[in-house]
Protein backbone atom coordinates (compact mmCIF):
# COMPACT_ATOMS: atom_id res chain seq x y z
CA UNK A 1 0.00 0.00 0.00
CA UNK A 2 1.31 3.50 -0.75
CA UNK A 3 2.40 5.13 2.49
CA UNK A 4 2.38 8.73 1.39
CA UNK A 5 1.07 11.04 -1.25
CA UNK A 6 2.54 9.66 -4.45
CA UNK A 7 2.33 13.00 -6.23
CA UNK A 8 6.08 13.41 -6.26
CA UNK A 9 6.80 9.95 -7.65
CA UNK A 10 6.54 8.75 -11.22
CA UNK A 11 4.59 5.59 -10.35
CA UNK A 12 0.82 5.86 -10.61
CA UNK A 13 -1.40 4.11 -8.07
CA UNK A 14 -4.61 2.27 -8.90
CA UNK A 15 -7.22 0.61 -6.69
CA UNK A 16 -10.74 -0.78 -7.09
CA UNK A 17 -13.84 -0.91 -4.98
CA UNK A 18 -13.39 -3.61 -2.31
CA UNK A 19 -16.17 -5.79 -3.69
CA UNK A 20 -13.69 -6.74 -6.42
CA UNK A 21 -11.21 -8.19 -3.96
CA UNK A 22 -12.88 -11.56 -4.46
CA UNK A 23 -13.24 -13.63 -7.55
CA UNK A 24 -12.26 -11.04 -10.20
CA UNK A 25 -9.06 -9.92 -8.52
CA UNK A 26 -6.58 -11.56 -10.94
CA UNK A 27 -8.39 -9.81 -13.79
CA UNK A 28 -7.88 -6.45 -12.12
CA UNK A 29 -4.13 -7.05 -11.84
CA UNK A 30 -4.12 -7.78 -15.57
CA UNK A 31 -6.19 -4.64 -16.09
CA UNK A 32 -3.46 -2.69 -14.34
CA UNK A 33 -0.87 -4.14 -16.73
CA UNK A 34 -3.10 -3.33 -19.72
CA UNK A 35 -3.53 0.29 -18.64
CA UNK A 36 0.19 0.68 -17.91
CA UNK A 37 0.99 -0.44 -21.42
CA UNK A 38 -1.49 1.93 -23.04
CA UNK A 39 -0.59 4.91 -20.88
CA UNK A 40 3.15 4.30 -21.07
CA UNK A 41 3.35 4.81 -17.31
CA UNK A 42 4.28 2.54 -14.42
CA UNK A 43 1.20 1.85 -12.30
CA UNK A 44 0.89 -0.08 -9.06
CA UNK A 45 -2.36 -1.88 -8.26
CA UNK A 46 -3.50 -2.33 -4.66
CA UNK A 47 -6.78 -4.00 -3.68
CA UNK A 48 -8.53 -3.61 -0.31
CA UNK A 49 -10.70 -5.96 1.70
CA UNK A 50 -12.97 -3.33 3.27
CA UNK A 51 -14.73 -0.13 2.24
CA UNK A 52 -13.43 2.01 5.09
CA UNK A 53 -9.75 1.20 4.46
CA UNK A 54 -10.09 1.74 0.72
CA UNK A 55 -11.99 5.02 1.09
CA UNK A 56 -9.51 6.29 3.70
CA UNK A 57 -6.51 5.50 1.47
CA UNK A 58 -8.05 7.25 -1.53
CA UNK A 59 -9.07 10.26 0.58
CA UNK A 60 -5.49 10.36 1.91
CA UNK A 61 -4.55 11.14 -1.68
CA UNK A 62 -2.70 7.89 -2.21
CA UNK A 63 -4.29 6.98 -5.55
CA UNK A 64 -4.43 8.36 -9.07
CA UNK A 65 -6.97 5.97 -10.54
CA UNK A 66 -9.89 4.35 -8.72
CA UNK A 67 -12.71 2.17 -9.92
CA UNK A 68 -15.21 3.22 -7.27
CA UNK A 69 -18.81 2.68 -6.22
CA UNK A 70 -21.13 5.64 -6.83
CA UNK A 71 -21.23 7.10 -3.33
CA UNK A 72 -17.45 6.87 -3.03
CA UNK A 73 -16.68 8.44 -6.39
CA UNK A 74 -18.99 11.34 -5.59
CA UNK A 75 -16.85 11.95 -2.47
CA UNK A 76 -13.65 11.75 -4.50
CA UNK A 77 -15.02 14.26 -6.99
CA UNK A 78 -16.03 16.66 -4.23
CA UNK A 79 -13.04 16.29 -1.93
CA UNK A 80 -10.15 15.49 -4.27
CA UNK A 81 -11.25 16.97 -7.59
CA UNK A 82 -11.27 13.52 -9.13
CA UNK A 83 -13.02 13.16 -12.48
CA UNK A 84 -15.23 10.14 -13.32
CA UNK A 85 -14.32 9.21 -16.88
CA UNK A 86 -15.79 5.79 -17.70
CA UNK A 87 -18.54 3.48 -16.46
CA UNK A 88 -19.68 -0.02 -17.38
CA UNK A 89 -21.63 0.04 -20.65
CA UNK A 90 -25.32 -0.83 -20.25
CA UNK A 91 -24.73 -1.97 -16.72
CA UNK A 92 -25.93 -0.41 -13.49
CA UNK A 93 -25.59 -1.20 -9.80
CA UNK A 94 -28.50 -3.29 -8.62
CA UNK A 95 -29.29 -4.97 -5.31
CA UNK A 96 -30.43 -8.48 -4.51
CA UNK A 97 -32.17 -9.28 -1.24
CA UNK A 98 -30.72 -12.72 -0.53
CA UNK A 99 -31.45 -15.33 2.09
CA UNK A 100 -29.91 -18.71 2.67
CA UNK A 101 -31.58 -21.40 0.59
CA UNK A 102 -31.37 -23.59 3.71
CA UNK A 103 -33.96 -21.55 5.60
CA UNK A 104 -37.70 -21.53 4.84
CA UNK A 105 -37.83 -17.88 3.74
CA UNK A 106 -39.28 -17.75 0.24
CA UNK A 107 -40.30 -14.09 0.16
CA UNK A 108 -40.18 -10.90 2.19
CA UNK A 109 -43.38 -11.81 4.06
CA UNK A 110 -41.63 -14.86 5.53
CA UNK A 111 -38.97 -12.78 7.30
CA UNK A 112 -39.04 -13.00 11.11
CA UNK A 113 -40.34 -10.22 13.35
CA UNK A 114 -36.79 -9.12 14.17
CA UNK A 115 -34.82 -9.18 10.93
CA UNK A 116 -31.02 -9.50 11.00
CA UNK A 117 -29.82 -7.73 7.84
CA UNK A 118 -26.28 -8.21 6.52
CA UNK A 119 -24.98 -5.17 4.67
CA UNK A 120 -21.46 -4.35 3.54
CA UNK A 121 -21.52 -0.72 4.66
CA UNK A 122 -24.19 1.85 5.49
CA UNK A 123 -22.60 4.52 3.24
CA UNK A 124 -23.21 2.64 0.01
CA UNK A 125 -25.85 2.88 -2.64
CA UNK A 126 -26.43 -0.85 -2.22
CA UNK A 127 -27.43 -0.29 1.42
CA UNK A 128 -29.72 2.60 0.49
CA UNK A 129 -31.47 0.65 -2.27
CA UNK A 130 -31.71 -2.43 -0.03
CA UNK A 131 -33.60 -0.30 2.48
CA UNK A 132 -35.85 0.97 -0.31
CA UNK A 133 -36.71 -2.63 -1.25
CA UNK A 134 -37.68 -3.41 2.34
CA UNK A 135 -39.66 -0.16 2.54
CA UNK A 136 -41.58 -1.11 -0.60
CA UNK A 137 -42.41 -4.44 1.02
CA UNK A 138 -43.82 -2.53 4.00
CA UNK A 139 -41.12 -3.78 6.36
CA UNK A 140 -40.90 -1.36 9.28
CA UNK A 141 -37.29 -0.27 9.73
CA UNK A 142 -37.72 -0.69 13.50
CA UNK A 143 -37.69 -4.44 12.84
CA UNK A 144 -34.18 -4.33 11.35
CA UNK A 145 -30.92 -5.23 13.12
CA UNK A 146 -27.90 -4.60 10.93
CA UNK A 147 -24.78 -6.70 10.66
CA UNK A 148 -22.22 -4.55 8.82
CA UNK A 149 -19.60 -6.77 7.26
CA UNK A 150 -17.28 -4.28 5.51
CA UNK A 151 -17.49 -6.16 2.20
CA UNK A 152 -19.94 -8.08 0.04
CA UNK A 153 -17.97 -11.26 0.54
CA UNK A 154 -18.74 -10.71 4.23
CA UNK A 155 -22.44 -10.37 3.38
CA UNK A 156 -22.30 -13.71 1.59
CA UNK A 157 -20.66 -15.34 4.60
CA UNK A 158 -23.13 -13.80 7.05
CA UNK A 159 -26.07 -15.17 5.05
CA UNK A 160 -24.58 -18.62 4.54
CA UNK A 161 -23.37 -18.96 8.13
CA UNK A 162 -26.75 -17.99 9.55
CA UNK A 163 -25.58 -14.71 11.09
CA UNK A 164 -28.19 -12.81 9.09
CA UNK A 165 -31.73 -13.55 7.91
CA UNK A 166 -31.30 -11.50 4.75
CA UNK A 167 -28.45 -9.67 3.02
CA UNK A 168 -28.12 -6.67 0.71
CA UNK A 169 -25.98 -8.11 -2.05
CA UNK A 170 -24.49 -6.20 -4.98
CA UNK A 171 -25.73 -7.99 -8.11
CA UNK A 172 -22.22 -8.28 -9.58
CA UNK A 173 -21.05 -10.14 -6.49
CA UNK A 174 -23.91 -12.61 -6.82
CA UNK A 175 -23.22 -13.04 -10.53
CA UNK A 176 -19.51 -13.50 -9.85
CA UNK A 177 -20.02 -16.10 -7.12
CA UNK A 178 -19.51 -19.77 -7.91
CA UNK A 179 -22.48 -21.93 -8.83
CA UNK A 180 -22.01 -23.73 -5.55
CA UNK A 181 -22.46 -20.49 -3.59
CA UNK A 182 -25.38 -19.31 -5.72
CA UNK A 183 -27.15 -22.62 -5.16
CA UNK A 184 -27.01 -21.93 -1.44
CA UNK A 185 -28.67 -18.52 -1.83
CA UNK A 186 -32.24 -17.54 -2.50
CA UNK A 187 -33.13 -14.16 -4.02
CA UNK A 188 -36.36 -12.86 -2.49
CA UNK A 189 -36.37 -9.45 -4.19
CA UNK A 190 -34.21 -7.33 -6.46
CA UNK A 191 -33.96 -3.75 -7.64
CA UNK A 192 -34.34 -2.74 -11.26
CA UNK A 193 -33.49 0.94 -11.09
CA UNK A 194 -30.76 1.21 -13.77
CA UNK A 195 -29.75 4.48 -12.17
CA UNK A 196 -26.35 4.44 -10.45
CA UNK A 197 -23.03 3.02 -11.54
CA UNK A 198 -19.43 2.39 -10.57
CA UNK A 199 -16.90 4.53 -12.44
CA UNK A 200 -13.21 4.88 -13.17
CA UNK A 201 -12.11 8.16 -11.61
CA UNK A 202 -8.82 9.90 -12.16
CA UNK A 203 -6.93 12.18 -9.84
CA UNK A 204 -5.08 15.37 -10.75
CA UNK A 205 -1.86 13.59 -11.80
CA UNK A 206 -3.75 11.71 -14.51
CA UNK A 207 -5.76 14.67 -15.78
CA UNK A 208 -3.30 15.39 -18.62
CA UNK A 209 -4.01 11.86 -19.89
CA UNK A 210 -7.77 11.99 -19.32
CA UNK A 211 -8.66 11.86 -23.01
CA UNK A 212 -6.24 9.01 -23.70
CA UNK A 213 -7.36 6.93 -20.72
CA UNK A 214 -11.04 7.48 -21.51
CA UNK A 215 -10.40 6.35 -25.06
CA UNK A 216 -8.42 3.30 -23.92
CA UNK A 217 -11.17 2.22 -21.53
CA UNK A 218 -14.06 2.88 -23.91
CA UNK A 219 -12.38 1.08 -26.81
CA UNK A 220 -11.28 -2.02 -24.91
CA UNK A 221 -14.02 -4.05 -26.55
CA UNK A 222 -12.64 -3.23 -29.99
CA UNK A 223 -9.43 -5.21 -29.66
CA UNK A 224 -8.80 -8.86 -28.81
CA UNK A 225 -6.71 -8.39 -25.66
CA UNK A 226 -9.19 -5.88 -24.28
CA UNK A 227 -12.12 -8.21 -24.95
CA UNK A 228 -10.49 -11.03 -22.98
CA UNK A 229 -9.74 -8.69 -20.14
CA UNK A 230 -13.30 -7.35 -20.08
CA UNK A 231 -14.52 -10.91 -19.83
CA UNK A 232 -12.12 -11.53 -16.95
CA UNK A 233 -13.46 -8.62 -14.94
CA UNK A 234 -17.07 -9.23 -15.94
CA UNK A 235 -18.00 -6.34 -18.24
CA UNK A 236 -19.04 -6.00 -21.87
CA UNK A 237 -17.34 -2.63 -22.25
CA UNK A 238 -17.04 0.85 -20.83
CA UNK A 239 -18.70 4.13 -21.82
CA UNK A 240 -17.89 7.76 -21.02
CA UNK A 241 -19.52 9.38 -17.98
CA UNK A 242 -21.41 12.58 -18.71
CA UNK A 243 -21.43 15.73 -16.59
CA UNK A 244 -25.20 15.38 -16.18
CA UNK A 245 -24.84 11.89 -14.76
CA UNK A 246 -22.24 13.17 -12.31
CA UNK A 247 -24.55 16.00 -11.25
CA UNK A 248 -27.50 13.63 -10.83
CA UNK A 249 -25.65 11.07 -8.73
CA UNK A 250 -23.97 13.81 -6.71
CA UNK A 251 -27.41 15.08 -5.71
CA UNK A 252 -28.44 11.57 -4.73
CA UNK A 253 -25.29 10.81 -2.73
CA UNK A 254 -25.33 14.19 -0.99
CA UNK A 255 -28.88 13.62 0.19
CA UNK A 256 -28.16 10.12 1.42
CA UNK A 257 -24.86 10.85 3.12
CA UNK A 258 -26.34 13.92 4.82
CA UNK A 259 -29.04 11.74 6.37
CA UNK A 260 -31.91 12.89 4.19
CA UNK A 261 -34.85 10.51 3.86
CA UNK A 262 -37.05 9.91 0.86
CA UNK A 263 -40.47 11.50 1.14
CA UNK A 264 -42.72 8.95 2.73
CA UNK A 265 -45.81 9.04 4.86
CA UNK A 266 -44.08 6.97 7.51
CA UNK A 267 -40.77 8.78 7.42
CA UNK A 268 -40.24 12.47 6.86
CA UNK A 269 -42.97 13.75 4.63
CA UNK A 270 -42.64 17.47 4.29
CA UNK A 271 -46.40 17.78 4.32
CA UNK A 272 -48.95 17.37 7.05
CA UNK A 273 -51.09 14.31 6.52
CA UNK A 274 -54.12 15.90 8.15
CA UNK A 275 -56.76 16.56 5.49
CA UNK A 276 -57.72 19.84 7.09
CA UNK A 277 -54.42 21.29 5.96
CA UNK A 278 -55.55 21.10 2.35
CA UNK A 279 -57.37 24.17 1.19
CA UNK A 280 -58.28 22.94 -2.26
CA UNK A 281 -59.76 19.54 -2.84
CA UNK A 282 -59.38 17.71 -6.09
CA UNK A 283 -60.85 19.56 -9.03
CA UNK A 284 -62.50 17.58 -11.77
CA UNK A 285 -62.32 18.71 -15.39
CA UNK A 286 -66.08 18.84 -15.58
CA UNK A 287 -66.64 20.94 -12.52
CA UNK A 288 -64.08 23.70 -12.56
CA UNK A 289 -63.20 26.61 -14.72
CA UNK A 290 -60.68 26.10 -17.46
CA UNK B 1 -60.70 18.12 -28.79
CA UNK B 2 -57.23 17.94 -27.28
CA UNK B 3 -56.45 20.03 -24.23
CA UNK B 4 -53.80 22.74 -24.52
CA UNK B 5 -50.53 21.51 -23.04
CA UNK B 6 -49.85 22.73 -19.50
CA UNK B 7 -53.35 24.24 -19.23
CA UNK B 8 -55.60 23.78 -16.20
CA UNK B 9 -57.81 21.56 -18.35
CA UNK B 10 -54.82 19.39 -19.27
CA UNK B 11 -53.57 18.92 -15.71
CA UNK B 12 -57.08 18.07 -14.53
CA UNK B 13 -57.30 15.41 -17.20
CA UNK B 14 -53.96 14.10 -15.94
CA UNK B 15 -55.44 13.88 -12.45
CA UNK B 16 -58.44 11.99 -13.81
CA UNK B 17 -56.26 9.65 -15.88
CA UNK B 18 -54.26 8.87 -12.72
CA UNK B 19 -57.40 7.16 -11.35
CA UNK B 20 -57.26 4.61 -14.18
CA UNK B 21 -53.81 3.42 -13.06
CA UNK B 22 -54.21 1.33 -9.89
CA UNK B 23 -50.56 0.29 -10.12
CA UNK B 24 -49.27 3.80 -9.47
CA UNK B 25 -51.74 4.26 -6.62
CA UNK B 26 -50.46 1.03 -5.07
CA UNK B 27 -46.79 1.93 -5.59
CA UNK B 28 -47.35 5.35 -4.04
CA UNK B 29 -49.55 4.28 -1.16
CA UNK B 30 -46.95 5.64 1.28
CA UNK B 31 -46.25 8.77 -0.72
CA UNK B 32 -47.46 12.24 0.01
CA UNK B 33 -46.18 15.17 -2.02
CA UNK B 34 -46.88 18.10 -4.30
CA UNK B 35 -45.15 18.80 -7.55
CA UNK B 36 -45.23 21.46 -10.21
CA UNK B 37 -44.61 21.48 -13.96
CA UNK B 38 -43.73 24.29 -16.29
CA UNK B 39 -42.29 25.00 -19.71
CA UNK B 40 -38.85 26.56 -19.51
CA UNK B 41 -39.03 28.50 -22.77
CA UNK B 42 -42.61 29.66 -22.30
CA UNK B 43 -42.58 31.95 -19.26
CA UNK B 44 -45.99 33.25 -20.32
CA UNK B 45 -47.65 29.89 -19.56
CA UNK B 46 -48.73 29.53 -15.89
CA UNK B 47 -47.35 26.62 -13.90
CA UNK B 48 -49.58 23.69 -12.98
CA UNK B 49 -49.34 21.22 -10.15
CA UNK B 50 -50.50 17.91 -8.73
CA UNK B 51 -50.95 16.94 -5.12
CA UNK B 52 -50.69 13.24 -4.37
CA UNK B 53 -51.78 11.89 -1.03
CA UNK B 54 -51.26 8.21 -0.26
CA UNK B 55 -51.18 7.40 -3.95
CA UNK B 56 -54.24 9.39 -4.99
CA UNK B 57 -54.24 12.74 -6.75
CA UNK B 58 -56.27 15.06 -4.54
CA UNK B 59 -55.46 18.26 -6.39
CA UNK B 60 -54.78 18.93 -10.06
CA UNK B 61 -54.80 22.52 -11.17
CA UNK B 62 -52.90 25.78 -11.33
CA UNK B 63 -49.90 26.08 -9.08
CA UNK B 64 -51.46 27.90 -6.17
CA UNK B 65 -48.50 28.99 -4.10
CA UNK B 66 -48.43 26.11 -1.67
CA UNK B 67 -45.14 24.42 -0.95
CA UNK B 68 -43.93 22.13 -3.72
CA UNK B 69 -41.83 19.08 -2.95
CA UNK B 70 -40.74 18.72 -6.55
CA UNK B 71 -40.54 21.00 -9.56
CA UNK B 72 -40.12 19.56 -13.05
CA UNK B 73 -39.45 21.68 -16.07
CA UNK B 74 -37.84 21.64 -19.47
CA UNK B 75 -38.24 23.30 -22.84
CA UNK B 76 -41.15 22.57 -25.14
CA UNK B 77 -39.12 20.35 -27.44
CA UNK B 78 -38.07 18.07 -24.59
CA UNK B 79 -41.59 18.01 -23.14
CA UNK B 80 -42.86 16.75 -26.49
CA UNK B 81 -40.24 13.98 -26.52
CA UNK B 82 -40.97 12.98 -22.92
CA UNK B 83 -44.72 12.88 -23.46
CA UNK B 84 -44.36 10.89 -26.68
CA UNK B 85 -42.17 8.36 -24.88
CA UNK B 86 -39.19 9.14 -27.10
CA UNK B 87 -37.23 9.90 -23.91
CA UNK B 88 -37.89 7.67 -20.89
CA UNK B 89 -38.43 9.29 -17.53
CA UNK B 90 -35.23 7.87 -16.09
CA UNK B 91 -33.21 8.94 -19.08
CA UNK B 92 -34.78 12.40 -18.99
CA UNK B 93 -33.85 12.70 -15.33
CA UNK B 94 -30.31 11.34 -15.63
CA UNK B 95 -29.48 13.48 -18.65
CA UNK B 96 -31.26 16.46 -17.15
CA UNK B 97 -33.37 16.90 -20.23
CA UNK B 98 -36.13 17.01 -17.62
CA UNK B 99 -34.94 19.50 -15.03
CA UNK B 100 -35.75 18.44 -11.53
CA UNK B 101 -35.75 20.17 -8.18
CA UNK B 102 -36.50 18.13 -5.09
CA UNK B 103 -35.34 14.96 -3.40
CA UNK B 104 -33.37 12.80 -5.81
CA UNK B 105 -33.53 9.98 -3.27
CA UNK B 106 -37.30 10.07 -3.43
CA UNK B 107 -37.18 10.07 -7.23
CA UNK B 108 -34.96 7.01 -7.17
CA UNK B 109 -36.99 5.22 -4.53
CA UNK B 110 -40.12 5.75 -6.58
CA UNK B 111 -38.55 5.43 -10.04
CA UNK B 112 -41.15 2.96 -11.34
CA UNK B 113 -44.15 5.14 -10.43
CA UNK B 114 -42.18 8.17 -11.63
CA UNK B 115 -42.01 6.57 -15.06
CA UNK B 116 -45.69 5.57 -14.94
CA UNK B 117 -46.54 9.15 -14.02
CA UNK B 118 -44.74 10.45 -17.11
CA UNK B 119 -46.59 7.86 -19.20
CA UNK B 120 -49.85 9.19 -17.76
CA UNK B 121 -48.92 12.70 -18.88
CA UNK B 122 -48.39 11.26 -22.36
CA UNK B 123 -51.77 9.51 -22.41
CA UNK B 124 -53.69 12.78 -22.47
CA UNK B 125 -54.49 13.96 -26.05
CA UNK B 126 -52.69 17.26 -26.11
CA UNK B 127 -52.42 20.31 -28.30
CA UNK B 128 -48.90 21.75 -28.22
CA UNK B 129 -49.97 24.78 -30.23
CA UNK B 130 -50.06 27.19 -27.31
Amino acid sequence: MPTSNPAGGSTLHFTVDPNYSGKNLPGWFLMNTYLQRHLGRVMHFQPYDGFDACRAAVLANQYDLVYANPFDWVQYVQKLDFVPIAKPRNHFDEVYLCTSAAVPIQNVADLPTRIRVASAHPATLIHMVGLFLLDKADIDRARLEFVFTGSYQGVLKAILQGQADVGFLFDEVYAGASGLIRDRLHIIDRSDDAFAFHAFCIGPRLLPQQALLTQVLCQMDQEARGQVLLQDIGFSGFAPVTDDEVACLTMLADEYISGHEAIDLRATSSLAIDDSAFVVAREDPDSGTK
Amino acid sequence: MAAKFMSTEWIRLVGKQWDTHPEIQKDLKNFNATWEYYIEDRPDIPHVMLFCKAGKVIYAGPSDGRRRDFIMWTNMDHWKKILSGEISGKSALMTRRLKFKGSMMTAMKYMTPFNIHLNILGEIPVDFDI
Side-chain angles (χ1 to χ4, degrees):
Chain A
M1 168 191 325
T3 53
S4 61
N5 185 336
S10 60
T11 303
L12 296 170
H13 295 272
F14 172 35
T15 190
V16 296
D17 195 61
N19 60 275
Y20 295 101
S21 59
K23 194 176 179 182
N24 294 334
L25 196 53
W28 285 99
F29 276 101
L30 294 173
M31 181 76 173
N32 184 64
T33 306
Y34 180 87
L35 295 177
Q36 281 188 111
R37 190 171 300 140
H38 281 81
L39 289 174
R41 307 275 301 269
V42 177
M43 190 153 63
H44 175 75
F45 176 70
Q46 175 71 49
Y48 286 85
D49 289 334
F51 286 97
D52 287 330
C54 181
R55 195 180 293 126
V58 176
L59 290 173
N61 211 14
Q62 294 177 359
Y63 287 92
D64 304 291
L65 175 64
V66 187
Y67 182 69
N69 71 69
F71 283 3
D72 280 353
W73 67 247
V74 165
Q75 281 196 62
Y76 304 153
V77 169
Q78 293 176 325
K79 294 177 181 173
L80 303 174
D81 292 331
F82 271 48
V83 177
I85 57 168
K87 60 175 184 174
R89 186 178 298 151
N90 302 321
H91 182 88
F92 294 90
D93 291 9
E94 301 291 356
V95 183
Y96 289 167
L97 289 188
C98 284
T99 61
S100 165
V103 299
I105 298 174
Q106 294 301 310
N107 54 57
V108 176
D110 296 333
L111 289 166
T113 306
R114 297 293 298 171
I115 307 169
R116 295 168 303 158
V117 182
S119 177
H121 198 286
T124 58
L125 176 113
I126 300 300
H127 183 77
M128 182 189 83
V129 176
L131 289 176
F132 288 173
L133 288 174
L134 292 177
D135 285 348
K136 286 175 194 170
D138 286 332
I139 300 285
D140 191 328
R141 290 193 189 179
R143 291 171 59 192
L144 310 180
E145 289 174 8
F146 289 101
V147 180
F148 290 111
T149 62
S151 70
Y152 296 114
Q153 300 302 325
V155 172
L156 277 176
K157 280 185 197 165
I159 298 167
L160 296 175
Q161 293 176 357
Q163 293 153 5
D165 302 303
V166 64
F168 296 161
L169 203 57
F170 180 32
D171 63 340
E172 282 181 33
V173 173
Y174 179 88
S178 68
L180 198 64
I181 296 289
R182 286 203 301 269
D183 286 347
R184 295 173 62 197
L185 295 169
H186 181 65
I187 300 171
I188 58 172
D189 202 358
R190 65 183 72 196
S191 68
D192 185 22
D193 295 321
F195 197 82
F197 49 81
H198 279 56
F200 285 96
C201 305
I202 57 170
R205 285 212 309 161
L206 260 174
L207 282 179
Q209 290 181 286
Q210 176 178 350
L212 172 62
L213 185 54
T214 306
Q215 185 182 31
V216 167
L217 289 165
C218 296
Q219 293 183 353
M220 280 181 73
D221 59 329
Q222 292 171 28
E223 52 126 349
R225 179 75 192 99
Q227 288 168 4
V228 172
L229 199 45
L230 283 168
Q231 204 168 7
D232 284 348
I233 57 175
F235 298 108
S236 62
F238 295 110
V241 177
T242 68
D243 291 344
D244 288 335
E245 289 171 328
V246 173
C248 198
L249 284 169
T250 298
M251 279 174 69
L252 180 69
D254 280 348
E255 285 180 29
Y256 181 70
I257 301 296
S258 66
H260 189 90
E261 276 287 355
I263 291 177
D264 197 306
L265 283 179
R266 295 164 306 175
T268 55
S269 172
S270 62
L271 293 163
I273 298 171
D274 180 4
D275 274 342
S276 64
F278 307 144
V279 177
V280 184
R282 164 143 176 197
E283 299 174 37
D284 270 331
D286 301 333
S287 62
T289 53
K290 293 178 181 175
Chain B
M1 184 177 156
K4 296 283 188 187
F5 181 54
M6 215 55 83
S7 64
T8 298
E9 180 190 12
W10 174 77
I11 197 67
R12 288 175 178 171
L13 288 170
V14 169
K16 198 168 189 179
Q17 186 69 6
W18 189 284
D19 291 345
T20 69
H21 286 266
E23 74 279 19
I24 196 169
Q25 295 174 48
K26 181 171 175 284
D27 286 350
L28 294 180
K29 65 183 184 296
N30 293 319
F31 183 80
N32 193 36
T34 57
W35 60 94
E36 178 178 288
Y37 309 100
Y38 70 90
I39 310 167
E40 188 172 22
D41 51 350
R42 288 298 302 272
D44 55 315
I45 305 293
H47 303 190
V48 295
M49 69 185 293
L50 292 174
F51 189 159
C52 172
K53 184 186 169 215
K56 296 189 183 302
V57 169
I58 61 167
Y59 174 80
S63 189
D64 61 2
R66 83 180 82 192
R67 175 178 173 160
R68 293 131 320 159
D69 294 291
F70 305 96
I71 303 175
M72 287 170 252
W73 73 100
T74 189
N75 61 38
M76 182 65 100
D77 185 46
H78 285 158
W79 271 122
K80 286 178 182 173
K81 288 177 177 167
I82 291 165
L83 265 57
S84 71
E86 187 179 331
I87 306 175
S88 76
K90 190 157 41 194
S91 169
L93 203 60
M94 285 295 284
T95 58
R96 293 203 290 184
R97 279 177 283 186
L98 177 63
K99 312 283 179 55
F100 177 89
K101 187 176 178 186
S103 165
M104 189 59 74
M105 266 179 78
T106 306
M108 183 171 176
K109 180 171 183 175
Y110 294 105
M111 187 53 75
T112 301
F114 177 78
N115 277 322
I116 297 172
H117 131 267
L118 288 180
N119 292 341
I120 290 172
L121 299 188
E123 287 171 7
I124 309 301
V126 66
D127 178 0
F128 286 107
D129 185 17
I130 56 176

